[in-house]
């Protein structure tokens, strides 16, 4: 599955008021793995950036004055995102701006060659997902980084590519982290005939004994401190449910 984790920065909040995209960032994942392929572009919006927006992302009119306009980068951007699942935090905002830009492009070119996004891409809104997973809690990107213990120390101001990189880590953490572990030392799963359908080699355990290492008191204390941090950050800890189930049996 091909996914593009995306973010934009804009001149203001509402494209219906004439606001435009000024920065686009995207990170490609295939089968939940980073491919190393990215997209990053500043855009001349052909209008002024609102002061409130500059206070959020730090991108000034002077910074984008000599950048290409959207019409000049649209085809390359479309080839990067077309057909993928777009993973976006607060997706209606970014998709709304993309569709606005594509409508302007259609009017200028006189042909509907690009967009709308929903007709060519599926969209996964991580903000909606986070609200369903953590109701009643803060679900901003910064809050999710704290909840899932993801380093966002470089994120002083918003930036499209940096935010895409952080969101990719958050999304993978929210949805279970790494999904495939190859024990055979390659991505193909090793010798499938010897290891069965899963590609894992079975081990003859006759005569083997398992060594059991007991935690020290300091390790137990560190363990319980970590559980308490999880409870405070997420509101619950699945370890508690496991412990309760064990005491019932």
């Amino acid at each position: 599955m091909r996914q593009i984790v995306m973010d934009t920065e804009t001149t203001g909040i509402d494209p219906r008021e004439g606001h435009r995209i000024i920065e686009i960032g995207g990170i490609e994942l295939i089968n939940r793995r980073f491919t190393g392929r990215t997209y990053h572009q500043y855009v001349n919006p052909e209008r002024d950036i609102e002061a409130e927006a500059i206070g959020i992302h730090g991108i000034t009119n002077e910074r984008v004055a000599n950048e290409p306009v959207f019409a000049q980068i649209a085809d390359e951007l479309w080839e990067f995102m077309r057909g993928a699942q777009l993973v976006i935090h607060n997706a209606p905002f970014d998709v709304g701006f993309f569709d606005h830009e594509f409508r302007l492009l259609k009017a200028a070119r006189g042909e509907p060659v690009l967009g709308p996004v929903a007709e060519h891409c599926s969209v996964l809104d991580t903000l909606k997902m986070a609200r369903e997973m953590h109701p009643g809690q803060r679900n901003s990107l910064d809050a999710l980084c704290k909840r899932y213990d993801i380093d966002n120390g470089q994120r002083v101001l918003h930036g499209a590519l940096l935010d895409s990189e952080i969101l990719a880590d958050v999304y993978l953490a929210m949805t279970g982290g790494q999904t495939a572990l190859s024990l055979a030392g390659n991505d193909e799963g090793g010798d499938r005939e010897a290891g069965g359908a899963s590609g894992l080699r079975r081990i003859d355990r006759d005569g083997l004994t398992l060594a059991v290492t007991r935690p020290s008191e300091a390790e137990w204390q560190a363990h319980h401190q970590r559980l308490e941090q999880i409870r405070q950050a997420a509101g619950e800890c699945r370890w508690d449910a496991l412990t309760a189930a064990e005491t019932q049996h």
Side-chain angles (χ1 to χ4, degrees):
M1 181 181 187
R2 182 171 181 265
Q3 296 173 298
I4 304 295
V5 186
M6 300 198 78
D7 184 59
T8 64
E9 302 298 344
T10 63
T11 62
I13 295 298
D14 195 340
R16 293 172 297 182
E17 297 178 357
H19 287 293
R20 305 285 301 274
I21 292 174
I22 56 174
E23 186 187 12
I24 305 165
I27 307 290
E28 183 183 63
L29 304 176
I30 293 183
N31 296 329
R32 298 175 56 81
R33 295 177 181 270
F34 292 95
T35 67
R37 187 182 178 202
T38 65
Y39 180 90
H40 183 236
Q41 180 65 59
Y42 288 101
V43 182
N44 182 340
E46 304 177 274
R47 58 152 294 159
D48 286 340
I49 305 170
E50 287 191 342
E52 293 84 352
I54 295 175
I56 294 172
H57 50 58
I59 302 172
T60 64
N61 292 298
E62 293 74 19
R63 173 63 185 82
V64 295
N66 296 318
E67 297 294 340
V69 299
F70 188 85
Q72 294 174 295
I73 60 96
D75 294 288
E76 181 182 9
L77 169 65
W78 187 243
E79 284 304 308
F80 181 71
M81 63 192 295
R82 180 168 59 94
Q85 180 183 63
L86 306 183
V87 179
I88 306 174
H89 203 65
N90 192 18
F93 177 89
D94 300 81
V95 171
F97 269 95
F98 281 130
D99 285 342
H100 176 65
E101 295 287 357
F102 290 135
R103 283 193 295 269
L104 294 177
L105 187 64
K106 175 183 176 181
R109 291 183 176 180
E111 52 183 4
V113 290
L114 308 180
V117 169
E119 293 184 6
H120 301 271
C121 306
S122 62
V123 179
L124 191 157
D125 185 356
T126 52
L127 178 58
K128 180 181 178 182
M129 178 188 298
R131 285 171 173 168
E132 292 172 350
M133 295 174 63
H134 310 290
Q137 300 183 54
R138 295 180 62 249
N139 290 297
S140 67
L141 190 54
D142 286 335
L144 291 173
C145 286
K146 182 177 180 180
R147 186 171 300 144
Y148 289 99
D149 197 23
I150 292 170
D151 182 14
N152 65 339
Q154 295 178 310
R155 192 175 187 260
V156 179
L157 295 171
H158 289 257
L161 187 59
L162 176 59
D163 281 4
S164 295
E165 293 172 346
I166 293 172
L167 179 57
D169 288 336
V170 168
Y171 164 70
L172 291 173
M174 289 173 63
T175 54
Q178 186 177 357
T179 60
L181 176 63
S182 172
L183 300 184
N186 59 60
D187 290 337
E188 297 303 320
D191 184 350
R192 292 187 177 273
E193 292 184 359
S198 66
L200 302 180
R201 292 183 178 271
R202 303 301 176 187
I203 298 174
D204 184 1
R205 294 181 293 179
D206 289 343
L208 295 179
T209 58
L210 295 177
V212 178
T213 302
R214 302 293 181 184
S216 66
E217 183 61 29
E219 290 170 333
W220 268 119
Q221 291 179 4
H223 169 71
H224 289 298
Q225 289 174 359
R226 180 58 177 163
L227 294 184
E228 184 58 30
Q229 290 174 354
I230 294 172
R231 293 186 193 99
Q232 293 178 4
E236 63 175 348
C237 177
R238 298 304 299 167
W239 189 277
D240 296 337
L242 292 172
T243 303
E246 289 177 357
T247 57
Q248 292 175 0
H249 293 285

